[in-house]
Amino acid sequence: MTSDQDQPDPSYIDPVAAAVLDAMDAAGPQVCDDMTVEVALSVMASARTGRLRVCDNDGLPTGLVTLARLSVVRDGPGYSDRVQLRDILGERGTHAPAGGQTTYRRPSALVRAL
């Protein structure tokens, strides 16, 4: 038997976790991380939104992408039409890299690594 003192208070919500969940809920359309940048830009234009919630194949959120960030990637020197959202999110999630530059893995580099 477990005492009531050992149980977390169901009315308590961590403020940081609540803020993250609120941001993710307000992010707009949900898309899969295998979507290309070009398709994501089209979805944003059609939905008239400036950001997308990105999820993995299981529907779990992996991050947010904004119109500004996708525009920087598309206009970058290493861009190709095969760059997917998971390539630009990488392990960084929604955090921008140091120096404000967007980095991503090019598909050709991934193939060479395999």
Side-chain angles (χ1 to χ4, degrees):
M1 184 184 285
T2 306
S3 72
D4 287 339
Q5 292 176 344
D6 294 337
Q7 298 296 321
D9 181 5
S11 64
Y12 174 76
I13 297 175
D14 178 25
V16 174
V20 170
L21 290 174
D22 287 344
M24 295 298 279
D25 287 341
Q30 177 177 314
V31 297
C32 192
D33 64 358
D34 63 353
M35 181 178 283
T36 65
V37 170
E38 286 299 321
V39 174
L41 288 167
S42 294
V43 168
M44 282 186 183
S46 297
R48 296 182 180 162
T49 185
R51 59 186 178 216
L52 297 172
R53 178 182 184 183
V54 182
C55 295
D56 63 13
N57 290 332
D58 295 324
L60 300 173
T62 58
L64 296 170
V65 291
T66 62
L67 178 60
R69 185 167 185 194
L70 293 181
S71 297
V72 167
V73 169
R74 183 190 57 206
D75 296 338
Y79 176 74
S80 80
D81 61 355
R82 292 195 216 165
V83 175
Q84 297 176 326
L85 297 179
R86 70 171 61 126
D87 297 329
I88 62 171
L89 287 175
E91 294 180 12
R92 298 183 192 277
T94 59
H95 303 288
Q101 297 177 341
T102 302
T103 58
Y104 55 93
R105 299 169 298 189
R106 294 195 327 206
S108 58
L110 292 175
V111 171
R112 282 194 298 264
L114 298 175

